[in-house]
Amino acid sequence: MSDRGYRRPRPLSPLREHLRDTFWFAPTMGFVCVIVLWLIAAEADEEIVSLFQREEAYDELAELISFSQDAKTIVTTVSSAMMTFIGVVFSISMVAVQMASGQLTPRVVRIFVRSRISKLTLTVFLGTFLGSLLVLSSYESETDPRRVVSVPLVQSLLILVLVGTSLLLFVVYVSSTLRLMQVGPVVDRIARDSFRVLGRMPRGPRADGEVGAETARVAYEGRAGVLRDVNTARLVRAARRQGVVLRVIPRIGDFVVPGTPMLAVHGGTVPPRHRLRYAVSVSVERTLHQDLAFGLRQLADIALRALSPSVNDPTTAVQCLDRMVQFLAAVADLPLGTVHHRDGAGRVRLVQDGPGWEDLVDLAFEEIRWCVTGSPQVSRRLIAGLDDLLLIVPEERRTSLARHRELLVQTMERSVPVSADRAFALLPDRQGIG
């Protein structure tokens, strides 16, 4: 495979993804923007008043003061009602998220946390509240056009714009939250996020001979948790300066504890500790930033819950299988497993172990195959998906698919004694049962 299409590590990529996993960054930046806009609007109001006073247009200025006093009533109403409105809206949203989490999988909550429209709506709502308080502080008790210093005209117009934007975002936000309660949009969102991870994967040539012998190891120091992502740009830079190759021992998504090996050094000594600081991120749960298998894990969780006796929703499992087959078809011809990251000169500096083709196939089909007994809709869709993939994938990758197909047939032969029912359950059908 050629170097064309290789993606250099991006230094700020982990930071950007970590900020997307937070719910405080967007409102904080919104507060800063509102304060800046308020200062600009206040300066504009002072300039307008100063201009009218220099021109001795006191009658026109008096009309502006009267208009601003009318606008003050609206700003006061907005200030008193906005926080109540925010509390009601987001309380309802939390109920919707809880229902979606119980119906599908707890991992679906991350979709709400990472939702741009959710953060934008909260930011604008809180910004409107803060802006209204700032504008109210700008109103003066003085109404004499000759002595007034500032008339909050532009500031009041700014609040009206924010209120209109809040109402528009409220409609969009409610629509987005309702979609979170539907299976189809959630499954589609997980699939699209998985394809974004696939698009960020480096696709350079294999370089097993360039790694060399292992010379040292670096133990993990920090809190126990799931390896969320690796700052590949930082590690590549540290390895280049030291003249070595670094290898990340655990996979993305593995649970790590302090004292266990995190990095292996090949071809030299360990880089200085400060160069390896903040090179790995450990959290309480997995994310899709660099975890290629996490999307399949979420789809499998939704399908397994749908096939449980308490839920018994095979159609949802079929929808998950649709996306699993789509994802496996997309990676059918791509190199999987070990990933090699290179520096600017094209030399391998960082090696990461990732899921191989067999790992992804087992993750997608193994657990579901154990639960298809008594659900011909799912077994028909599963065998149709396996048959489709057998036509697409290269010859060397058909073994695992053929194994799952054979095991599915054996499972149905043991659990379905009537031959006609067994034949019906093993008939390939992309819709399950139309």
Side-chain angles (χ1 to χ4, degrees):
M1 188 173 180
S2 64
D3 283 316
R4 187 177 64 181
Y6 174 71
R7 296 177 180 268
R8 291 280 303 281
R10 298 180 179 181
L12 297 180
S13 181
L15 176 61
R16 183 172 61 251
E17 290 297 322
H18 294 176
L19 291 178
R20 282 201 65 187
D21 286 333
T22 65
F23 224 79
W24 60 265
F25 180 73
T28 302
M29 296 304 299
F31 289 153
V32 174
C33 292
V34 167
I35 293 174
V36 171
L37 289 175
W38 172 70
L39 292 174
I40 295 174
E43 184 69 23
D45 286 330
E46 292 180 4
E47 289 295 328
I48 292 174
V49 171
S50 177
L51 176 62
F52 275 97
Q53 290 175 342
R54 287 196 302 268
E55 298 292 333
E56 296 185 353
Y58 297 117
D59 292 338
E60 290 80 358
L61 184 56
E63 293 179 0
L64 289 181
I65 294 175
S66 177
F67 176 81
S68 67
Q69 291 299 321
D70 294 337
K72 181 180 180 180
T73 303
I74 300 176
V75 175
T76 303
T77 303
V78 170
S79 176
S80 60
M82 185 54 68
M83 284 305 295
T84 303
F85 184 61
I86 293 173
V88 172
V89 169
F90 280 89
S91 296
I92 296 174
S93 301
M94 292 300 102
V95 173
V97 171
Q98 185 177 8
M99 292 177 60
S101 175
Q103 180 183 359
L104 301 176
T105 173
R107 261 68 64 186
V108 78
V109 177
R110 65 173 300 276
I111 297 179
F112 176 81
V113 174
R114 292 176 61 88
S115 172
R116 289 187 174 91
I117 188 63
S118 300
K119 296 177 181 178
L120 180 60
T121 303
L122 177 63
T123 299
V124 174
F125 282 8
L126 294 176
T128 303
F129 174 70
L130 175 63
S132 62
L133 294 180
L134 295 174
V135 172
L136 286 175
S137 67
S138 299
Y139 279 93
E140 300 180 7
S141 58
E142 180 63 59
T143 59
D144 186 355
R146 292 176 174 80
R147 302 176 60 183
V148 71
V149 176
S150 176
V151 177
L153 177 64
V154 178
Q155 300 174 61
S156 300
L157 293 177
L158 174 63
I159 295 302
L160 294 179
V161 171
L162 288 175
V163 170
T165 305
S166 299
L167 295 176
L168 178 62
L169 284 175
F170 171 68
V171 176
V172 178
Y173 174 75
V174 170
S175 175
S176 175
T177 303
L178 290 177
R179 286 176 60 85
L180 183 63
M181 301 175 64
Q182 300 173 338
V183 177
V186 171
V187 171
D188 177 69
R189 175 64 180 272
I190 294 173
R192 286 189 285 113
D193 288 345
S194 299
F195 281 112
R196 290 193 187 97
V197 179
L198 185 63
R200 291 193 296 262
M201 285 184 58
R203 301 176 184 177
R206 297 301 179 186
D208 296 326
E210 300 181 31
V211 175
E214 180 179 324
T215 54
R217 285 194 171 189
V218 178
Y220 170 65
E221 297 178 358
R223 62 174 183 174
V226 176
L227 181 59
R228 179 168 59 176
D229 54 43
V230 174
N231 192 329
T232 54
R234 188 178 184 88
L235 288 178
V236 166
R237 185 166 58 249
R240 177 179 56 81
R241 291 177 178 176
Q242 195 71 13
V244 298
V245 176
L246 297 176
R247 178 171 57 88
V248 182
I249 297 176
R251 285 186 183 180
I252 299 293
D254 286 356
F255 191 87
V256 295
V257 296
T260 56
M262 176 60 68
L263 295 172
V265 183
H266 295 258
T269 58
V270 177
R273 183 178 298 273
H274 69 274
R275 293 181 181 173
L276 301 180
R277 190 177 302 165
Y278 309 120
V280 297
S281 175
V282 173
S283 182
V284 295
E285 62 180 359
R286 298 167 67 176
T287 67
L288 267 169
H289 177 212
Q290 296 177 354
D291 197 340
L292 184 62
F294 188 47
L296 288 178
R297 178 69 270 166
Q298 293 181 84
L299 293 174
D301 287 345
I302 296 174
L304 292 172
R305 177 164 296 195
L307 291 175
S308 64
S310 60
V311 177
N312 193 21
D313 183 13
T315 303
T316 294
V318 168
Q319 289 179 280
C320 294
L321 284 172
D322 292 339
R323 298 300 182 174
M324 290 177 178
V325 173
Q326 177 192 7
F327 182 79
L328 291 175
V331 302
D333 296 319
L334 298 181
L336 299 171
T338 305
V339 179
H340 298 83
H341 300 274
R342 300 171 180 271
D343 59 15
R347 298 191 60 180
V348 174
R349 292 302 181 185
L350 178 64
V351 180
Q352 280 185 271
D353 186 22
W357 171 254
E358 292 79 9
D359 299 324
L360 297 179
V361 171
D362 290 341
L363 177 57
F365 300 136
E366 183 71 29
E367 294 174 295
I368 297 178
R369 181 172 52 76
W370 284 46
C371 300
V372 298
T373 303
S375 181
Q377 181 180 358
V378 180
S379 63
R380 286 159 65 99
R381 180 62 186 99
L382 179 54
I383 203 164
L386 291 170
D387 288 345
D388 289 340
L389 290 173
L390 284 169
L391 296 175
I392 296 174
V393 303
E395 181 68 30
E396 63 273 11
R397 290 187 171 179
R398 295 178 183 173
T399 303
S400 57
L401 296 172
R403 181 179 69 86
H404 279 284
R405 193 185 193 284
E406 179 62 27
L407 289 174
L408 176 60
V409 173
Q410 294 177 9
T411 299
M412 300 308 294
E413 288 177 347
R414 290 194 304 267
S415 59
V416 182
V418 181
S419 59
D421 291 341
R422 186 166 58 247
F424 179 83
L426 292 174
L427 182 65
D429 187 344
R430 293 188 180 91
Q431 294 187 22
I433 301 178

